[in-house]
Amino acid sequence: MKGDYGYGKMQNVVTSMDYERLLCSTGPYEGEILRPSDKKHPHKTAWIQCVGSRRVTPGDNSYCSAVCCTYTQKQVILTKDHDAGAECTIFHNDIRSYGKDFERFYQRAENLPGVRFIRSYVSIGKEIQESKNVTIRYATTEDGVKEEEFDLVVLSVGLNPPADYEDLADKFGIELNSHGFCKAIPSNPLSTTRPGIFVSGAFQGPTDIPESVFTASGAGSQCGELLDYRRGKLTQERIYPPEKDVSREEPRIGVFVCHCGANIGRVVSVPSTVEYALTLPHVVYAQEQLFSCASNCAKEITDIIKEKGLNRVIVAACSPRTLEPLFRDTLREAGINQYYFEMANIREHNSWVHSKEKEEATQKAKDIIRMSVARACHLEPLQELDLPVNKTALVVGGGVSGMTCALSIANQGHEVFLVEKNKDLGGMARRIHYTLDGRDVQAYLRDLVEKVYRHPSVHVYTDATITEATGYVGNFVTKVNSERGVEEIKHGAAVIAIGADIYKPTEYLYGEDDRVITHLELEERISKGDEKIISAESLVMIQCVGCRNEDRNYCSRICCSVSIKNALKLKEINPLMDIYILYRDMMTYGFSEDYYREASNREVKFIRYDPLDKPLVETVKEGGTSRLRIAVTDYILGKKLAIDADCLALAAAVIPSAGAKEVAGLFKVSLGPDDFFKEAHVKLKPVEFAADGVYLCGMAQYPKHMPEAISQAYGAAGRVLTLLSHDTVIASGSVCEVDQKKCTGCGACISACTYDAIEFRETRQGKKAVVNPVICKGDGLCNARCPTGAITLKHFTDAELLSQIDAALGDV
């Protein structure tokens, strides 16, 4: 791309990767955004989208790189965090906010003061010699051609295949697609053309982080299917030294302050913080580390615990969410109970939010460490529970993702119970007949259903209802009511794959005129050869029906590609048909862009409409013939168009399953703001719930294309196997406990607990609350609600927390 848009020729034209480094605390200017030409802060910055992607010239990348729109929005938000007065302009074509919560993220960026999104093709004008500013020429429908000057221009570059992709393919004997990415088997997007070799992440094609994570897990699951006979034969159990009882010893605290590269060190004065820590009561050792999470630093902590006789350890670094288990392990390696560890978050709670207040941030780091030291003096040793694991899995939902997940688990030696609410397996796929690349979905579905029914380890329950789900990770009990009667299924893991539903439109005359149908109904009628459809002279499609609005503030992801698929199929059958697609932004990300281009080349007409000026649909009679008339404003022509159509197809939104709330309640899992199931972490745990032992895949998580649903199903199976391949699972020692002498049996704790971990039991003193430590998640809701203070949350006792408050207040 050297030379594109002045890159490499103009000093203040940088790529998005260059800009990412400027934003990074470990970058060339330690997180300060400075122009290459004069090292000054740019006030007015422009981003140009689709650089190196969506090209029409031969030899260039014709595909959409899928991630650029959202990473640009992220960079804009971070730029505004650095400089609230910065002016940010994004020149774009379509805004492809197709992912989960992407639409809200786009709106967040768009609504920031000083941020403009301008839909326009652009060209670089010139570099002004005196200031080194760069001019951009662009055109809008309102103002025509304009030229504007910017301090810095960022090129949002796309994704290419790896530089050595041809050599890589030759070495492994796999085929590549026309774009240089790995060619996948259509029915299994994680398989390559060579059996036994699988693919994940961006080598499949441009993809985002969540997809990269669950495809990696999915590829691992498919490897597990082939290597199951070797499972457990090469593993060695880790042996820790005997744990010393230090509960009666005076606290001897060690403090390790992490630079986190420059994330902490560029803001907080780490050396002075270490010196301060040494002045605190019971601190006998303190030092700084560049990266405390590095393996050499973790071993150093273990060695110093032994050498200095430490019995409490504090690491002042980042959030405990990701790395606390690693640091706890350093104590176990030294023979100390892991709950004598305390983590002081001086990154997320300090350096990241006070990056411009270095002196105050250093003082706050000292305050946080002082509070942690006070708490560490009150820490107590706790023991975790080893729980047996039932090796059986339950999959709720018999669509493509549910069946795929069940088969992958079963192929690795585990019994699977597959529960489907309908009489037939298949889910939404029963209404889909062909894919964008021409595959026969019904043939694939018949083969998949046959594999499920023939597999000896898969037990299918159709026309089934789940009436109760109890238990905990490794040991669940689910009651299922089906044609077999009521049965109790005992299982170690559960997968939620209940799919999604389709919105039933109330607009555009749907339900009033039988010529107005949904895109699914259109596909069904095309596949049946309906003469009214395939012989039509004119057909109009309207996108974003029922979504990207106040009621459903998300993109349904699949609709644009489905409309293009149907348009191409109709053009194949009837090339003379006039087809119009009325859209807001075409979400043909990845390789789907090629089909968008093909549809345009085959004279499918695309007309963009504004959500504030939606198309109007009415029936008109001319010459005794009734026709549908769709009025829409064409912003390119600057005119209102009236299109007469024989048929109108509505791209109806994908909406959460009607049973989502009920299933969420049964399995104690969460729903997101749009009522799709909420994963534990969108990037780190995209197929897991916060509730241990319960997993997620398919359209229940969010709308997705069939290959994506299949990949995620394998990903969920991979995570299930990480649980079921163990004989035991560990439950935390940080759980609640009831002092029955103080308990009055009021039940406030039971109503507060979202995991059903508390129940009443009859005792000699009457009805008392009892906590099941296996189910308890230690969230503290119950002990906060208890009016008599009868409940204690271990590891977060009153003494520990109050000591922190006292330390925070100091001499105040």
Side-chain angles (χ1 to χ4, degrees):
M1 69 154 285
K2 193 170 182 65
D4 283 7
Y5 295 100
Y7 182 69
K9 298 177 181 177
M10 300 181 185
Q11 294 184 56
N12 292 324
V13 176
V14 301
T15 69
S16 49
M17 290 300 291
D18 298 331
Y19 197 75
E20 195 79 18
R21 290 298 298 151
L22 292 177
L23 289 167
C24 184
S25 60
T26 57
Y29 311 120
E30 296 186 333
E32 283 196 78
I33 304 172
L34 303 178
R35 300 201 316 168
S37 64
D38 52 17
K39 307 301 183 287
K40 291 182 179 179
H41 292 280
H43 177 68
K44 193 174 180 182
T45 303
W47 280 261
I48 300 176
Q49 298 300 102
C50 302
V51 176
S53 305
R54 303 184 70 184
R55 295 292 191 94
V56 296
T57 47
D60 286 335
N61 297 336
S62 60
Y63 54 83
C64 165
S65 288
V67 301
C68 315
C69 288
T70 303
Y71 79 55
T72 294
Q73 293 155 27
K74 177 199 72 173
Q75 290 181 347
V76 168
I77 291 170
L78 291 175
T79 300
K80 295 293 286 185
D81 286 343
H82 280 71
D83 178 7
E87 296 179 16
C88 303
T89 304
I90 301 91
F91 294 101
H92 65 93
N93 186 354
D94 299 291
I95 289 292
R96 293 189 164 165
S97 53
Y98 59 87
K100 192 171 188 178
D101 292 326
F102 281 16
E103 185 75 7
R104 286 186 178 86
F105 195 69
Y106 164 46
Q107 291 166 357
R108 176 183 167 191
E110 184 184 34
N111 292 331
L112 288 171
V115 173
R116 295 180 296 164
F117 281 80
I118 298 176
R119 191 184 299 266
S120 176
Y121 291 104
V122 304
S123 63
I124 294 291
K126 60 184 177 181
E127 181 181 68
I128 298 171
Q129 290 304 312
E130 298 80 14
S131 63
K132 299 299 180 184
N133 288 352
V134 178
T135 64
I136 291 179
R137 289 173 59 84
Y138 64 96
T140 66
T141 54
E142 299 85 6
D143 302 322
V145 178
K146 300 177 70 176
E147 188 163 5
E148 192 170 342
E149 185 177 331
F150 293 91
D151 301 332
L152 184 68
V153 174
V154 183
L155 307 180
S156 296
V157 295
L159 304 181
N160 289 328
D164 58 345
Y165 65 94
E166 290 180 336
D167 185 47
L168 186 71
D170 288 340
K171 286 179 179 176
F172 286 95
I174 60 174
E175 295 180 30
L176 303 173
N177 65 19
S178 60
H179 298 294
F181 292 92
C182 183
K183 183 177 181 180
I185 303 298
S187 58
N188 181 357
L190 303 180
S191 290
T192 67
T193 51
R194 184 178 179 184
I197 296 180
F198 303 95
V199 62
S200 68
F203 192 40
Q204 290 180 292
T207 191
D208 210 341
I209 293 173
E211 288 78 8
S212 297
V213 172
F214 68 65
T215 56
S217 179
S221 184
Q222 294 198 51
C223 290
E225 292 183 34
L226 298 179
L227 301 176
D228 181 61
Y229 71 100
R230 298 288 289 169
R231 193 184 302 276
K233 295 182 180 179
L234 298 174
T235 57
Q236 291 182 340
E237 185 178 355
R238 191 173 185 180
I239 300 174
Y240 293 95
E243 187 176 295
K244 295 182 292 185
D245 181 5
V246 299
S247 59
R248 293 181 178 84
E249 296 179 4
E250 279 290 311
R252 291 179 57 81
I253 302 172
V255 179
F256 298 85
V257 184
C258 180
H259 283 261
C260 195
N263 280 290
I264 296 170
R266 74 179 177 87
V267 179
V268 174
S269 173
V270 173
S272 70
T273 304
V274 170
E275 290 177 12
Y276 174 77
L278 286 168
T279 68
L280 297 172
H282 303 292
V283 174
V284 298
Y285 183 81
Q287 76 163 71
E288 56 187 279
Q289 293 180 313
L290 183 60
F291 287 103
S292 295
C293 58
S295 56
N296 62 313
C297 290
K299 185 178 184 304
E300 183 181 39
I301 294 172
T302 298
D303 293 341
I304 290 172
I305 292 172
K306 296 176 183 177
E307 178 187 336
K308 303 295 182 181
L310 305 179
N311 55 27
R312 308 283 195 283
V313 171
I314 296 168
V315 173
C318 55
S319 164
R321 181 170 186 179
T322 304
L323 293 173
E324 187 175 51
L326 167 69
F327 295 124
R328 283 183 173 180
D329 204 59
T330 63
L331 274 70
R332 296 185 69 187
E333 290 282 4
I336 303 296
N337 187 282
Q338 61 179 311
Y339 286 92
Y340 282 124
F341 172 76
E342 165 73 358
M343 200 157 184
N345 186 348
I346 63 171
R347 189 181 73 177
E348 285 87 343
H349 290 178
N350 189 25
S351 65
W352 278 4
V353 291
H354 303 296
S355 59
K356 297 178 182 178
E357 305 156 322
K358 297 186 178 182
E359 289 184 11
E360 291 85 351
T362 298
Q363 183 57 50
K364 185 175 178 180
K366 294 175 183 179
D367 294 342
I368 292 171
I369 291 171
R370 184 175 68 251
M371 293 166 65
S372 293
V373 168
R375 180 171 186 261
C377 293
H378 295 274
L379 294 177
E380 299 172 350
L382 301 175
Q383 299 303 319
E384 297 182 327
L385 300 174
D386 284 343
L387 309 172
V389 174
N390 184 310
K391 301 289 189 172
T392 300
L394 173 75
V395 177
V396 184
V400 167
S401 58
M403 289 189 287
T404 300
C405 184
L407 283 170
S408 185
I409 296 168
N411 287 338
Q412 296 177 70
H414 296 274
E415 296 284 314
V416 181
F417 292 89
L418 180 61
V419 178
E420 167 57 40
K421 66 179 180 180
N422 294 316
K423 292 184 178 181
D424 299 306
L425 297 176
M428 189 66 71
R430 295 202 307 271
R431 300 184 64 185
I432 301 173
H433 297 270
Y434 45 85
T435 63
L436 195 54
D437 56 1
R439 288 182 292 118
D440 185 337
V441 174
Q442 293 306 305
Y444 165 75
L445 188 60
R446 286 191 295 271
D447 180 59
L448 184 62
V449 171
E450 184 179 355
K451 287 179 181 177
V452 167
Y453 277 111
R454 287 193 172 190
H455 201 295
S457 296
V458 179
H459 310 286
V460 179
Y461 294 75
T462 54
D463 202 11
T465 304
I466 295 175
T467 59
E468 186 180 21
T470 59
Y472 47 87
V473 56
N475 295 273
F476 294 103
V477 179
T478 300
K479 287 185 180 179
V480 176
N481 189 354
S482 71
E483 56 189 11
R484 304 183 187 185
V486 178
E487 291 188 37
E488 271 194 356
I489 299 173
K490 296 181 178 180
H491 53 100
V495 180
I496 308 300
I498 64 171
D501 294 334
I502 296 296
Y503 167 68
K504 186 176 181 179
T506 58
E507 54 266 74
Y508 299 125
L509 301 184
Y510 184 83
E512 301 175 31
D513 191 311
D514 60 9
R515 294 169 295 183
V516 182
I517 57 179
T518 66
H519 55 350
L520 264 182
E521 292 165 349
L522 175 63
E523 181 170 339
E524 289 172 329
R525 291 173 67 172
I526 293 172
S527 66
K528 291 176 182 177
D530 188 326
E531 278 296 323
K532 288 184 179 179
I533 299 297
I534 62 178
S535 299
E537 294 181 5
S538 176
L539 183 143
V540 174
M541 303 178 187
I542 301 179
Q543 302 304 110
C544 300
V545 177
C547 62
R548 298 187 76 191
N549 56 26
E550 290 184 3
D551 294 332
R552 297 174 195 84
N553 193 16
Y554 61 87
C555 165
S556 289
R557 190 181 183 114
I558 64 173
C559 311
C560 289
S561 293
V562 169
S563 292
I564 286 175
K565 173 186 76 172
N566 289 333
L568 288 172
K569 183 62 104 175
L570 287 169
K571 280 291 187 178
E572 180 184 318
I573 297 169
N574 181 2
L576 298 180
M577 185 186 299
D578 290 326
I579 300 176
Y580 302 84
I581 296 180
L582 315 185
Y583 71 99
R584 287 175 57 183
D585 296 277
M586 289 303 296
M587 304 291 182
T588 47
Y589 58 93
F591 301 140
S592 299
E593 180 72 13
D594 290 340
Y595 296 98
Y596 178 22
R597 182 72 56 191
E598 181 184 348
S600 179
N601 291 339
R602 295 181 70 171
E603 297 186 354
V604 174
K605 300 172 183 66
F606 293 87
I607 302 173
R608 185 179 65 83
Y609 73 87
D610 190 283
L612 298 177
D613 183 17
K614 292 182 179 180
L616 298 176
V617 179
E618 60 180 347
T619 56
V620 295
K621 288 187 178 180
E622 292 181 352
T625 302
S626 175
R627 293 177 66 89
L628 291 168
R629 178 163 293 170
I630 298 93
V632 61
T633 301
D634 188 322
Y635 287 90
I636 301 299
L637 298 177
K639 294 181 179 180
K640 195 88 169 179
L641 304 181
I643 306 169
D644 288 348
D646 299 313
C647 179
L648 172 62
L650 306 179
V654 178
I655 62 175
S657 169
K661 291 183 179 179
E662 182 183 359
V663 172
L666 286 166
F667 288 93
K668 311 298 184 297
V669 296
S670 299
L671 299 174
D674 301 311
D675 285 341
F676 291 102
F677 285 93
K678 184 178 181 181
E679 57 285 294
H681 190 286
V682 66
K683 290 181 171 64
L684 301 179
K685 295 183 176 181
V687 295
E688 299 170 59
F689 285 107
D692 294 334
V694 188
Y695 303 89
L696 171 67
C697 65
M699 299 252 278
Q701 186 256 347
Y702 192 68
K704 50 182 62 69
H705 292 287
M706 195 177 297
E708 295 167 333
I710 293 169
S711 296
Q712 194 176 36
Y714 280 115
R719 299 308 300 157
V720 168
L721 263 294
T722 61
L723 170 60
L724 300 188
S725 60
H726 292 89
D727 295 326
T728 60
V729 65
I730 297 172
S732 172
S734 179
V735 294
C736 290
E737 186 175 57
V738 179
D739 182 345
Q740 301 215 340
K741 292 180 181 178
K742 295 181 180 180
C743 178
T744 62
C746 68
C749 56
I750 293 176
S751 62
C753 182
T754 57
Y755 298 99
D756 290 342
I758 309 175
E759 62 183 7
F760 280 135
R761 288 186 190 168
E762 289 296 334
T763 70
R764 291 180 180 179
Q765 291 76 37
K767 189 169 58 175
K768 302 289 184 180
V770 177
V771 176
N772 184 337
V774 174
I775 303 177
C776 179
K777 297 297 178 186
D779 59 14
L781 290 177
C782 59
N783 66 318
R785 284 284 298 275
C786 180
T788 63
I791 302 180
T792 299
L793 174 55
K794 297 178 182 179
H795 203 56
F796 295 93
T797 64
D798 288 352
E800 292 165 5
L801 299 181
L802 290 172
S803 69
Q804 284 187 290
I805 295 171
D806 291 340
L809 295 174
D811 297 329
V812 176

